[in-house]
PDB file of all heavy atoms in Angstrom:
ATOM      1  N   ILE G 184     -12.092  -8.100  -3.354  1.00 38.00           N
ATOM      2  CA  ILE G 184     -11.469  -6.879  -2.842  1.00 38.00           C
ATOM      3  C   ILE G 184     -12.367  -6.333  -1.700  1.00 38.00           C
ATOM      4  O   ILE G 184     -11.912  -5.992  -0.575  1.00 38.00           O
ATOM      5  CB  ILE G 184     -11.214  -5.854  -3.844  1.00 38.00           C
ATOM      6  CG1 ILE G 184     -10.110  -6.364  -4.798  1.00 38.00           C
ATOM      7  CG2 ILE G 184     -10.766  -4.571  -3.265  1.00 38.00           C
ATOM      8  CD1 ILE G 184      -9.894  -5.458  -6.028  1.00 38.00           C
ATOM      9  N   LEU G 185     -13.696  -6.208  -2.019  1.00 42.00           N
ATOM     10  CA  LEU G 185     -14.613  -5.684  -0.976  1.00 42.00           C
ATOM     11  C   LEU G 185     -14.710  -6.588   0.241  1.00 42.00           C
ATOM     12  O   LEU G 185     -14.698  -6.085   1.354  1.00 42.00           O
ATOM     13  CB  LEU G 185     -15.985  -5.577  -1.643  1.00 42.00           C
ATOM     14  CG  LEU G 185     -17.162  -5.049  -0.699  1.00 42.00           C
ATOM     15  CD1 LEU G 185     -16.793  -3.624  -0.329  1.00 42.00           C
ATOM     16  CD2 LEU G 185     -18.429  -5.058  -1.466  1.00 42.00           C
ATOM     17  N   THR G 186     -14.669  -7.920   0.026  1.00 43.00           N
ATOM     18  CA  THR G 186     -14.680  -8.783   1.102  1.00 43.00           C
ATOM     19  C   THR G 186     -13.454  -8.656   2.007  1.00 43.00           C
ATOM     20  O   THR G 186     -13.544  -8.664   3.216  1.00 43.00           O
ATOM     21  CB  THR G 186     -14.801 -10.296   0.604  1.00 43.00           C
ATOM     22  OG1 THR G 186     -16.016 -10.400  -0.102  1.00 43.00           O
ATOM     23  CG2 THR G 186     -14.854 -11.264   1.823  1.00 43.00           C
ATOM     24  N   PHE G 187     -12.350  -8.548   1.367  1.00 42.00           N
ATOM     25  CA  PHE G 187     -11.074  -8.422   2.119  1.00 42.00           C
ATOM     26  C   PHE G 187     -11.002  -7.087   2.841  1.00 42.00           C
ATOM     27  O   PHE G 187     -10.671  -7.034   4.030  1.00 42.00           O
ATOM     28  CB  PHE G 187      -9.838  -8.507   1.201  1.00 42.00           C
ATOM     29  CG  PHE G 187      -8.557  -8.260   1.869  1.00 42.00           C
ATOM     30  CD1 PHE G 187      -8.100  -9.192   2.800  1.00 42.00           C
ATOM     31  CD2 PHE G 187      -7.811  -7.144   1.585  1.00 42.00           C
ATOM     32  CE1 PHE G 187      -6.854  -9.037   3.424  1.00 42.00           C
ATOM     33  CE2 PHE G 187      -6.624  -6.941   2.271  1.00 42.00           C
ATOM     34  CZ  PHE G 187      -6.162  -7.866   3.218  1.00 42.00           C
ATOM     35  N   LEU G 188     -11.469  -6.034   2.197  1.00 41.00           N
ATOM     36  CA  LEU G 188     -11.496  -4.736   2.925  1.00 41.00           C
ATOM     37  C   LEU G 188     -12.362  -4.749   4.131  1.00 41.00           C
ATOM     38  O   LEU G 188     -11.935  -4.290   5.215  1.00 41.00           O
ATOM     39  CB  LEU G 188     -11.869  -3.610   1.928  1.00 41.00           C
ATOM     40  CG  LEU G 188     -10.833  -3.266   0.891  1.00 41.00           C
ATOM     41  CD1 LEU G 188     -11.425  -2.251  -0.097  1.00 41.00           C
ATOM     42  CD2 LEU G 188      -9.558  -2.761   1.430  1.00 41.00           C
ATOM     43  N   THR G 189     -13.559  -5.305   3.922  1.00 43.00           N
ATOM     44  CA  THR G 189     -14.461  -5.434   5.040  1.00 43.00           C
ATOM     45  C   THR G 189     -13.950  -6.295   6.145  1.00 43.00           C
ATOM     46  O   THR G 189     -13.984  -5.999   7.366  1.00 43.00           O
ATOM     47  CB  THR G 189     -15.821  -6.094   4.601  1.00 43.00           C
ATOM     48  OG1 THR G 189     -16.343  -5.295   3.541  1.00 43.00           O
ATOM     49  CG2 THR G 189     -16.827  -6.099   5.743  1.00 43.00           C
ATOM     50  N   PHE G 190     -13.320  -7.423   5.781  1.00 43.00           N
ATOM     51  CA  PHE G 190     -12.707  -8.314   6.756  1.00 43.00           C
ATOM     52  C   PHE G 190     -11.587  -7.606   7.572  1.00 43.00           C
ATOM     53  O   PHE G 190     -11.495  -7.672   8.729  1.00 43.00           O
ATOM     54  CB  PHE G 190     -11.965  -9.489   5.963  1.00 43.00           C
ATOM     55  CG  PHE G 190     -11.065 -10.302   6.737  1.00 43.00           C
ATOM     56  CD1 PHE G 190     -11.515 -11.400   7.445  1.00 43.00           C
ATOM     57  CD2 PHE G 190      -9.671 -10.125   6.601  1.00 43.00           C
ATOM     58  CE1 PHE G 190     -10.671 -12.172   8.181  1.00 43.00           C
ATOM     59  CE2 PHE G 190      -8.851 -10.874   7.349  1.00 43.00           C
ATOM     60  CZ  PHE G 190      -9.287 -11.885   8.162  1.00 43.00           C
ATOM     61  N   SER G 191     -10.776  -6.818   6.862  1.00 44.00           N
ATOM     62  CA  SER G 191      -9.690  -6.083   7.528  1.00 44.00           C
ATOM     63  C   SER G 191     -10.204  -5.096   8.568  1.00 44.00           C
ATOM     64  O   SER G 191      -9.686  -4.974   9.621  1.00 44.00           O
ATOM     65  CB  SER G 191      -8.804  -5.369   6.507  1.00 44.00           C
ATOM     66  OG  SER G 191      -8.260  -6.286   5.581  1.00 44.00           O
ATOM     67  N   VAL G 192     -11.251  -4.279   8.146  1.00 41.00           N
ATOM     68  CA  VAL G 192     -11.726  -3.314   9.090  1.00 41.00           C
ATOM     69  C   VAL G 192     -12.376  -3.913  10.317  1.00 41.00           C
ATOM     70  O   VAL G 192     -12.055  -3.465  11.386  1.00 41.00           O
ATOM     71  CB  VAL G 192     -12.831  -2.435   8.304  1.00 41.00           C
ATOM     72  CG1 VAL G 192     -13.492  -1.517   9.344  1.00 41.00           C
ATOM     73  CG2 VAL G 192     -12.202  -1.638   7.208  1.00 41.00           C
ATOM     74  N   ILE G 193     -13.197  -4.951  10.067  1.00 44.00           N
ATOM     75  CA  ILE G 193     -13.829  -5.648  11.254  1.00 44.00           C
ATOM     76  C   ILE G 193     -12.741  -6.251  12.158  1.00 44.00           C
ATOM     77  O   ILE G 193     -12.771  -6.112  13.363  1.00 44.00           O
ATOM     78  CB  ILE G 193     -14.824  -6.633  10.794  1.00 44.00           C
ATOM     79  CG1 ILE G 193     -15.991  -5.973  10.023  1.00 44.00           C
ATOM     80  CG2 ILE G 193     -15.374  -7.445  11.900  1.00 44.00           C
ATOM     81  CD1 ILE G 193     -16.975  -6.893   9.370  1.00 44.00           C
ATOM     82  N   SER G 194     -11.788  -7.001  11.547  1.00 46.00           N
ATOM     83  CA  SER G 194     -10.888  -7.780  12.335  1.00 46.00           C
ATOM     84  C   SER G 194      -9.963  -6.904  13.108  1.00 46.00           C
ATOM     85  O   SER G 194      -9.599  -7.175  14.213  1.00 46.00           O
ATOM     86  CB  SER G 194     -10.090  -8.742  11.402  1.00 46.00           C
ATOM     87  OG  SER G 194     -10.961  -9.655  10.724  1.00 46.00           O
ATOM     88  N   TYR G 195      -9.404  -5.837  12.453  1.00 52.00           N
ATOM     89  CA  TYR G 195      -8.471  -5.008  13.148  1.00 52.00           C
ATOM     90  C   TYR G 195      -9.107  -4.373  14.333  1.00 52.00           C
ATOM     91  O   TYR G 195      -8.458  -4.140  15.292  1.00 52.00           O
ATOM     92  CB  TYR G 195      -7.881  -3.953  12.190  1.00 52.00           C
ATOM     93  CG  TYR G 195      -6.745  -4.366  11.436  1.00 52.00           C
ATOM     94  CD1 TYR G 195      -6.862  -5.187  10.345  1.00 52.00           C
ATOM     95  CD2 TYR G 195      -5.472  -3.949  11.824  1.00 52.00           C
ATOM     96  CE1 TYR G 195      -5.689  -5.691   9.638  1.00 52.00           C
ATOM     97  CE2 TYR G 195      -4.332  -4.407  11.143  1.00 52.00           C
ATOM     98  CZ  TYR G 195      -4.469  -5.220  10.055  1.00 52.00           C
ATOM     99  OH  TYR G 195      -3.370  -5.706   9.356  1.00 52.00           O
ATOM    100  N   SER G 196     -10.467  -4.050  14.274  1.00 51.00           N
ATOM    101  CA  SER G 196     -11.090  -3.413  15.402  1.00 51.00           C
ATOM    102  C   SER G 196     -11.310  -4.377  16.567  1.00 51.00           C
ATOM    103  O   SER G 196     -11.453  -3.955  17.710  1.00 51.00           O
ATOM    104  CB  SER G 196     -12.439  -2.840  14.950  1.00 51.00           C
ATOM    105  OG  SER G 196     -13.298  -3.906  14.482  1.00 51.00           O
ATOM    106  N   VAL G 197     -11.286  -5.715  16.284  1.00 56.00           N
ATOM    107  CA  VAL G 197     -11.491  -6.653  17.317  1.00 56.00           C
ATOM    108  C   VAL G 197     -10.292  -6.833  18.102  1.00 56.00           C
ATOM    109  O   VAL G 197     -10.384  -6.999  19.353  1.00 56.00           O
ATOM    110  CB  VAL G 197     -11.886  -8.022  16.674  1.00 56.00           C
ATOM    111  CG1 VAL G 197     -11.880  -9.140  17.685  1.00 56.00           C
ATOM    112  CG2 VAL G 197     -13.262  -7.921  15.986  1.00 56.00           C
ATOM    113  N   PHE G 198      -9.147  -6.765  17.535  1.00 60.00           N
ATOM    114  CA  PHE G 198      -7.895  -7.113  18.261  1.00 60.00           C
ATOM    115  C   PHE G 198      -7.139  -5.775  18.619  1.00 60.00           C
ATOM    116  O   PHE G 198      -6.520  -5.161  17.855  1.00 60.00           O
ATOM    117  CB  PHE G 198      -6.999  -7.961  17.388  1.00 60.00           C
ATOM    118  CG  PHE G 198      -7.408  -9.401  17.321  1.00 60.00           C
ATOM    119  CD1 PHE G 198      -8.320  -9.751  16.313  1.00 60.00           C
ATOM    120  CD2 PHE G 198      -7.026 -10.334  18.266  1.00 60.00           C
ATOM    121  CE1 PHE G 198      -8.771 -11.036  16.248  1.00 60.00           C
ATOM    122  CE2 PHE G 198      -7.413 -11.677  18.174  1.00 60.00           C
ATOM    123  CZ  PHE G 198      -8.343 -12.043  17.218  1.00 60.00           C
ATOM    124  N   ALA G 199      -7.270  -5.456  19.949  1.00 55.00           N
ATOM    125  CA  ALA G 199      -6.638  -4.237  20.440  1.00 55.00           C
ATOM    126  C   ALA G 199      -5.106  -4.433  20.522  1.00 55.00           C
ATOM    127  O   ALA G 199      -4.263  -3.577  20.389  1.00 55.00           O
ATOM    128  CB  ALA G 199      -7.252  -3.821  21.724  1.00 55.00           C
ATOM    129  N   ASP G 200      -4.758  -5.730  20.877  1.00 78.00           N
ATOM    130  CA  ASP G 200      -3.247  -6.022  21.096  1.00 78.00           C
ATOM    131  C   ASP G 200      -2.695  -6.785  19.869  1.00 78.00           C
ATOM    132  O   ASP G 200      -2.067  -7.822  19.943  1.00 78.00           O
ATOM    133  CB  ASP G 200      -3.148  -6.867  22.307  1.00 78.00           C
ATOM    134  CG  ASP G 200      -1.678  -7.036  22.706  1.00 78.00           C
ATOM    135  OD1 ASP G 200      -0.855  -6.121  22.422  1.00 78.00           O
ATOM    136  OD2 ASP G 200      -1.386  -8.064  23.384  1.00 78.00           O
ATOM    137  N   LEU G 201      -2.998  -6.330  18.668  1.00 91.00           N
ATOM    138  CA  LEU G 201      -2.494  -6.931  17.434  1.00 91.00           C
ATOM    139  C   LEU G 201      -0.963  -6.781  17.295  1.00 91.00           C
ATOM    140  O   LEU G 201      -0.453  -5.648  17.522  1.00 91.00           O
ATOM    141  CB  LEU G 201      -3.165  -6.271  16.229  1.00 91.00           C
ATOM    142  CG  LEU G 201      -3.123  -7.074  14.874  1.00 91.00           C
ATOM    143  CD1 LEU G 201      -3.951  -8.308  15.009  1.00 91.00           C
ATOM    144  CD2 LEU G 201      -3.694  -6.192  13.786  1.00 91.00           C
ATOM    145  N   LYS G 202      -0.255  -7.892  17.120  1.00 93.00           N
ATOM    146  CA  LYS G 202       1.203  -7.879  17.098  1.00 93.00           C
ATOM    147  C   LYS G 202       1.627  -7.379  15.650  1.00 93.00           C
ATOM    148  O   LYS G 202       1.350  -8.059  14.609  1.00 93.00           O
ATOM    149  CB  LYS G 202       1.739  -9.225  17.382  1.00 93.00           C
ATOM    150  CG  LYS G 202       1.482  -9.821  18.681  1.00 93.00           C
ATOM    151  CD  LYS G 202       1.899  -8.971  19.829  1.00 93.00           C
ATOM    152  CE  LYS G 202       1.577  -9.536  21.221  1.00 93.00           C
ATOM    153  NZ  LYS G 202       1.909  -8.661  22.280  1.00 93.00           N
ATOM    154  N   VAL G 203       2.325  -6.335  15.550  1.00 95.00           N
ATOM    155  CA  VAL G 203       2.702  -5.694  14.283  1.00 95.00           C
ATOM    156  C   VAL G 203       4.054  -6.238  13.892  1.00 95.00           C
ATOM    157  O   VAL G 203       5.028  -6.152  14.730  1.00 95.00           O
ATOM    158  CB  VAL G 203       2.793  -4.199  14.420  1.00 95.00           C
ATOM    159  CG1 VAL G 203       3.279  -3.589  13.043  1.00 95.00           C
ATOM    160  CG2 VAL G 203       1.428  -3.607  14.761  1.00 95.00           C
ATOM    161  N   LEU G 204       4.209  -6.814  12.681  1.00 95.00           N
ATOM    162  CA  LEU G 204       5.486  -7.404  12.220  1.00 95.00           C
ATOM    163  C   LEU G 204       6.229  -6.323  11.469  1.00 95.00           C
ATOM    164  O   LEU G 204       5.911  -6.062  10.223  1.00 95.00           O
ATOM    165  CB  LEU G 204       5.216  -8.632  11.327  1.00 95.00           C
ATOM    166  CG  LEU G 204       4.461  -9.857  12.070  1.00 95.00           C
ATOM    167  CD1 LEU G 204       4.274 -10.900  11.051  1.00 95.00           C
ATOM    168  CD2 LEU G 204       5.345 -10.295  13.217  1.00 95.00           C
ATOM    169  N   VAL G 205       7.115  -5.635  12.119  1.00 94.00           N
ATOM    170  CA  VAL G 205       7.865  -4.544  11.593  1.00 94.00           C
ATOM    171  C   VAL G 205       8.733  -5.075  10.456  1.00 94.00           C
ATOM    172  O   VAL G 205       9.462  -6.050  10.601  1.00 94.00           O
ATOM    173  CB  VAL G 205       8.626  -3.827  12.617  1.00 94.00           C
ATOM    174  CG1 VAL G 205       9.483  -2.703  12.002  1.00 94.00           C
ATOM    175  CG2 VAL G 205       7.748  -3.301  13.671  1.00 94.00           C
ATOM    176  N   GLY G 206       8.748  -4.382   9.264  1.00 91.00           N
ATOM    177  CA  GLY G 206       9.654  -4.818   8.212  1.00 91.00           C
ATOM    178  C   GLY G 206       9.135  -5.939   7.315  1.00 91.00           C
ATOM    179  O   GLY G 206       9.809  -6.371   6.404  1.00 91.00           O
ATOM    180  N   TYR G 207       7.937  -6.415   7.619  1.00 93.00           N
ATOM    181  CA  TYR G 207       7.324  -7.515   6.801  1.00 93.00           C
ATOM    182  C   TYR G 207       6.905  -6.916   5.418  1.00 93.00           C
ATOM    183  O   TYR G 207       5.948  -6.083   5.497  1.00 93.00           O
ATOM    184  CB  TYR G 207       6.170  -8.213   7.464  1.00 93.00           C
ATOM    185  CG  TYR G 207       5.656  -9.457   6.851  1.00 93.00           C
ATOM    186  CD1 TYR G 207       6.166 -10.656   7.163  1.00 93.00           C
ATOM    187  CD2 TYR G 207       4.626  -9.339   5.906  1.00 93.00           C
ATOM    188  CE1 TYR G 207       5.688 -11.854   6.529  1.00 93.00           C
ATOM    189  CE2 TYR G 207       4.119 -10.443   5.233  1.00 93.00           C
ATOM    190  CZ  TYR G 207       4.673 -11.727   5.526  1.00 93.00           C
ATOM    191  OH  TYR G 207       4.149 -12.781   4.953  1.00 93.00           O
ATOM    192  N   ASN G 208       7.458  -7.387   4.359  1.00 89.00           N
ATOM    193  CA  ASN G 208       7.176  -6.842   3.033  1.00 89.00           C
ATOM    194  C   ASN G 208       5.863  -7.481   2.488  1.00 89.00           C
ATOM    195  O   ASN G 208       5.961  -8.302   1.550  1.00 89.00           O
ATOM    196  CB  ASN G 208       8.356  -7.059   2.089  1.00 89.00           C
ATOM    197  CG  ASN G 208       8.283  -6.304   0.846  1.00 89.00           C
ATOM    198  OD1 ASN G 208       7.408  -5.407   0.654  1.00 89.00           O
ATOM    199  ND2 ASN G 208       9.220  -6.620  -0.122  1.00 89.00           N
ATOM    200  N   SER G 209       4.729  -7.113   2.984  1.00 93.00           N
ATOM    201  CA  SER G 209       3.498  -7.739   2.709  1.00 93.00           C
ATOM    202  C   SER G 209       3.075  -7.354   1.236  1.00 93.00           C
ATOM    203  O   SER G 209       3.217  -6.155   0.863  1.00 93.00           O
ATOM    204  CB  SER G 209       2.418  -7.349   3.632  1.00 93.00           C
ATOM    205  OG  SER G 209       1.250  -7.978   3.285  1.00 93.00           O
ATOM    206  N   GLN G 210       2.547  -8.301   0.440  1.00 93.00           N
ATOM    207  CA  GLN G 210       2.087  -7.988  -0.857  1.00 93.00           C
ATOM    208  C   GLN G 210       0.546  -8.222  -0.950  1.00 93.00           C
ATOM    209  O   GLN G 210      -0.188  -7.419  -1.428  1.00 93.00           O
ATOM    210  CB  GLN G 210       2.736  -8.938  -1.871  1.00 93.00           C
ATOM    211  CG  GLN G 210       4.206  -8.687  -2.031  1.00 93.00           C
ATOM    212  CD  GLN G 210       4.944  -9.840  -2.794  1.00 93.00           C
ATOM    213  OE1 GLN G 210       5.765 -10.520  -2.171  1.00 93.00           O
ATOM    214  NE2 GLN G 210       4.709  -9.875  -4.066  1.00 93.00           N
ATOM    215  N   ASP G 211       0.093  -9.405  -0.395  1.00 94.00           N
ATOM    216  CA  ASP G 211      -1.265  -9.775  -0.382  1.00 94.00           C
ATOM    217  C   ASP G 211      -1.388 -10.983   0.457  1.00 94.00           C
ATOM    218  O   ASP G 211      -0.397 -11.816   0.506  1.00 94.00           O
ATOM    219  CB  ASP G 211      -1.765 -10.104  -1.781  1.00 94.00           C
ATOM    220  CG  ASP G 211      -3.155 -10.675  -1.894  1.00 94.00           C
ATOM    221  OD1 ASP G 211      -3.263 -11.886  -1.663  1.00 94.00           O
ATOM    222  OD2 ASP G 211      -4.058  -9.884  -2.002  1.00 94.00           O
ATOM    223  N   PRO G 212      -2.429 -11.200   1.274  1.00 96.00           N
ATOM    224  CA  PRO G 212      -2.496 -12.309   2.209  1.00 96.00           C
ATOM    225  C   PRO G 212      -2.232 -13.688   1.466  1.00 96.00           C
ATOM    226  O   PRO G 212      -1.663 -14.609   2.004  1.00 96.00           O
ATOM    227  CB  PRO G 212      -3.866 -12.322   2.725  1.00 96.00           C
ATOM    228  CG  PRO G 212      -4.274 -10.838   2.724  1.00 96.00           C
ATOM    229  CD  PRO G 212      -3.565 -10.264   1.444  1.00 96.00           C
ATOM    230  N   VAL G 213      -2.784 -13.798   0.221  1.00 95.00           N
ATOM    231  CA  VAL G 213      -2.580 -15.085  -0.609  1.00 95.00           C
ATOM    232  C   VAL G 213      -1.106 -15.228  -0.998  1.00 95.00           C
ATOM    233  O   VAL G 213      -0.510 -16.228  -0.798  1.00 95.00           O
ATOM    234  CB  VAL G 213      -3.586 -15.111  -1.761  1.00 95.00           C
ATOM    235  CG1 VAL G 213      -3.306 -16.351  -2.562  1.00 95.00           C
ATOM    236  CG2 VAL G 213      -5.012 -14.953  -1.321  1.00 95.00           C
TER     237      VAL G 213
END
């Protein structure tokens, strides 16, 4: 969980133009 949270914070800050998938019913990356 800690690794994933760290991954998310770092990665999201890298991509300014991240494409958001509206309506995607995300549960977990796996």
Side-chain angles (χ1 to χ4, degrees):
I184 293 173
L185 180 60
T186 300
F187 175 68
L188 289 174
T189 304
F190 166 84
S191 299
V192 171
I193 295 174
S194 299
Y195 271 78
S196 65
V197 169
F198 287 88
D200 190 28
L201 199 64
K202 301 298 179 186
V203 177
L204 297 179
V205 178
Y207 186 92
N208 191 11
S209 181
Q210 296 167 249
D211 174 273
V213 180

